Amino acid sequence: MALEEKREKRPPVTPMMIEEEAALRNGSRGLPPGPWAEAVGPRPRTTERHIAVHKRLVLGFAVSILALLAVTMIAVLLSVRFEECGAAADGPPRAGGNGSLSGAARQPPGTGQPPGRPEEEKARGGEAAAAEEKQEEEEEEWQRRRELPPWARPRLPRHLRPLHYNLMLSAFMENFTFSGEVNVQLEVRNASRYIVLHAHRMHIEAVRVAEDKLAGGVRVARSFLYPQTQVFVVVLNRSLEVQRSYNLKIIYNALIENELLGFFRSSYVLHGERRFLGVTQFSPTHARKAFPCFDEPIYKATFKISIRHQATYLSLSNMPVETSVFEEDGWVTDHFSQTPLMSTYYLAWAVCNFTYRETVTKSGVVVRLYARPDAIRRGSGDYALNITRRLIEFYEDYFKVPYSLPKLDLLAVPKHPYAAMENWGLSVFVEQRILLDPSISSISYLLDVTMVIVHELCHQWFGDLVTPVWWEDVWLKEGFAHYFEFVGTDYLYPGWNMEKQRFLTDVLHEVMLLDGLASSHPVSQEVQQATDIDRVFDWIAYKKGAALIRMLANFMGHSVFQMGLQDYLTIHKYGNAARNDLWNTLSKALKRVGKSVNIQEVMDQWTLQMGYPVITILGNETTDNVIVISQARFVYDSDAKPKDPALGDNSYLWQIPLTIAVGNTSHISSEAIIWVSNKSEHHRIPALEEASWLLGNINQTGYFRVNYDIRNWRLLINQLTRNHEVISVSNRAGLIDDAFNLARAGYLPQNIPLEIIRYLSEEMDFLPWHAASRALYPLDKLLDRMENYNIFNEYILRQVASMYLKLGWPTNNLNKSLVQASYQHEELRREVIMLACSFGNKHCHQQAATLISDWISSNRNRIPLNVRDIVYCTGVSLMDEDVWEFIWMKFHSTTAVSEKKILLEALTCSDDRNLLNRLLNLSLNSEVVLDQDAIDVIIHVARNPHGRDLAWKFFREKWKILNARYGEALFMNSKLISGVTEFLNTEEELRELKNFIKSYEEGAAASFSRAVETVEANVRWQRLYKEELFQWLRKSLTH
């Protein structure tokens, strides 16, 4: 109701609107100031009193004839001049009609275009050729000066700064095009004849540059698009003056693309009818596809958006609708309030026919969730809406900085390249990461939805309010948002211990796998050009960034760390900041509590160097109570060539906050902190007795691995077997992960990690089981195509069997309160059932088959929510093709997004290679499998030992299609390349990978480099350690 009332108001008339309207009166598109505009303007009449009347008439007649001829010539030249403005466009066909918002809306781009006359086409061609020749001449002149022209440089020139954008759009959903008019207020820092800003894949209709109202316009000599750097260049007849303000007006049109970036379209089916929507995804460099702009994060400006659309749709943007103007022809224009200062990459808009539900925070922020009408009606967005309100209140209290906008809209869309995007005031989520039906959603699905929302809301402060200066420090926003996923979830569910426990397995252990490669990169890495930007958005920025922030918070102390963050946000709000700004603020916070640590000196070693250290603690044989602590860079494959040959692994050095404790069979001491800054150091440890063991990196707060001498490992294994609770849950999980990875890299004998997990039969906490499951997974994939795989399989089943019998299967009567109360227990049960079914426990297989058969026969799904994905996958792998077809049918018929996801993944579990091939081929049909889900299908088939070679073959055959679809989208290509290749482990597969890369050298070089190193490490492990592992397993199983 409130929305409709607002839209009935008329927009206020502003001086800028009056000026724009006046500027457009001289022609159908609005003439740039200059001689053409003056020629067609009204001229003062001249009278001659001394001429007779009949002479005046004759003279007047002659003048009229001459004027008519002049006007005709001017009209022809005018059309040529105006065509020249758009001659360099590389987008869709030109829009006809008026350059004003309403005129453009009445005639969609590409419609009703009369063919040009031959002489006009010839003139246009001549003008374009002349312009191109002029451009070449200028580029040659720049070359002679040994400089790149401003439009060929990787970054925009710094002589201009945008202050304000007035952007007016018309969206034509019937033919998926849009037209726009952008007015940019510019401040001149250095004099220049060139205006260079970003624009890509659009058609420029007209361009005009004006000073203030009194001084008038600046003549445009020419303008052109330069696709190599995705910029639009306006060349002026004279230089812009320093410290003056100018207005740049550009009229343009483009497509609402059928892809995943820029302003793109998506669709869904409601009541048998396909409906379409348009939505934006601008991060990191795609705002330039939707409007000409200064598309770098440093160029913060204010924005005033107006969107014209058919009245059957509604439009959304970062700010609330200020006024709506309805027209008689069924169109409406929504004028949105002006934004605060912000960067282009989190500007956003959408045109859709969704409905919404609403709530309000204590501070008055209006929160709405928009989604498909059927999802809103079912209440699928209610959970997300309610926790969003609570989380805004949590962040406002934690940061002591209020949320900065009057509203926050959450938009659930069917198709999106990422889980979500944090656009300020209009966060966009793919449906699977925000819609939740409690009656059919598991705890793990609820956790996924929760953490994505927590992440995006943190960005409203870290990213939107305070923005990194440049993409080299993207971790400043992504690392914080990823860290706060766990802090914010702990606020919602205090008993889940996310930051202290789940962070280890889901972030720390996972990113250390990637960062242990020689082909890794620093968290802060140099970004020179647009093609480098995609490279910095990876798990190193997100997860390593988060792990370093967590380490920093722990050695500073959480309360001091929080105080420092409050200062950082307050100082830099509505602006940009770099990592040194953060370090300086945190150092000052420490000084206020009497501590003196140079945060920058410590953290530069962690953010500017790639990789991480392995700390080795050795007992000293000659001196009592003295230990030797050494550090070295951890790498999985010591034979791998370093990324920078000049910087060998021995050159790496960190300042390491090593926490350490001494324990015995019944007790562990309080922790002490040792700052390790040299390659090797001696330290005296009091109370280190003969039977005592050492434990480093207490609760795994540090970003490093810890190795010990074999004697200490034996003591720790003995402790876990006798009384594991003396060691904390976090350290039990850490010991498991460190041991498996140290063995995989050759630092430890292969039997040590397998001996450690023997104690799990007594482990009743979820986290160590989860760590073991994750550590076993890559080892399982290295072995699952070996002849002797059954030996490994049998050993794991023995470790799982007793706990599987002890915990049993869940019933299907979970409700919301029970979910929260029993999270740890239910997740433990799920983990054990997954291991049992994956490794072939007969009872587990029978139970899964029974539950699937009951569903098929009764058409009632009584499978417990928290294990549905396990049951579906196990049933598909064990049972016949009819079960696969049944799951396929259910995938198509369900409208619940959580259910759709796990049904699709279950289809990849089949042992039937024909069905797997069929699914791979169907995955590229967007009508069957959503674009963002196709990657998961291919990866899951690759994880199936029966489908690994099929997925690898499919990937190579379809690479051109896949690269064209996902190449520009952050994460997607790297995720696909890693997922398909990470478990290849034969010499032949390594050769195939290298040959494939030689054939397709363009794009994804960093991802392919990591893939080669990973497969080389797999092959090396097979050659060096496989037999050692199997020999120990055979011996162990006979005892």
Side-chain angles (χ1 to χ4, degrees), residues 179-299:
S179 63
E181 176 184 315
V182 62
N183 288 269
V184 192
Q185 185 185 351
L186 300 173
E187 178 186 79
V188 182
R189 291 175 167 178
N190 295 297
S192 176
R193 290 177 53 229
Y194 303 102
I195 297 175
V196 183
L197 71 166
H198 289 107
H200 189 46
R201 289 165 60 171
M202 62 179 59
H203 179 86
I204 305 296
E205 283 282 310
V207 59
R208 171 199 156 179
V209 179
E211 208 171 341
D212 54 47
K213 294 175 214 171
L214 297 176
V218 181
R219 186 171 176 186
V220 175
R222 60 194 182 87
S223 60
F224 58 92
L225 286 161
Y226 192 72
Q228 294 92 321
T229 51
Q230 302 180 358
V231 297
F232 178 59
V233 184
V234 182
V235 185
L236 303 170
N237 273 6
R238 66 174 175 86
S239 291
L240 300 176
E241 296 177 32
V242 178
Q243 295 184 342
R244 298 297 293 268
S245 178
Y246 295 83
N247 183 73
L248 169 66
K249 174 186 286 187
I250 300 173
I251 297 171
Y252 67 99
N253 58 66
L255 298 175
I256 302 174
E257 299 278 6
N258 185 24
E259 53 173 48
L260 296 166
L261 301 165
F263 185 19
F264 67 93
R265 66 183 184 264
S266 182
S267 67
Y268 60 98
V269 175
L270 185 67
H271 307 312
E273 174 195 356
R274 183 162 293 279
R275 296 188 175 187
F276 290 91
L277 63 141
V279 67
T280 59
Q281 170 56 40
F282 290 162
S283 178
T285 58
H286 304 287
R288 63 194 66 176
K289 294 178 181 176
F291 68 108
C293 58
F294 292 77
D295 200 12
E296 293 179 8
I298 193 69
Y299 289 114

Side-chain angles (χ1 to χ4, degrees), residues 74 317 597 648 671 819 862 889:
I74 288 164
S317 189
V597 178
E671 67 185 69
V819 164
R862 289 184 276 255
M889 177 193 70

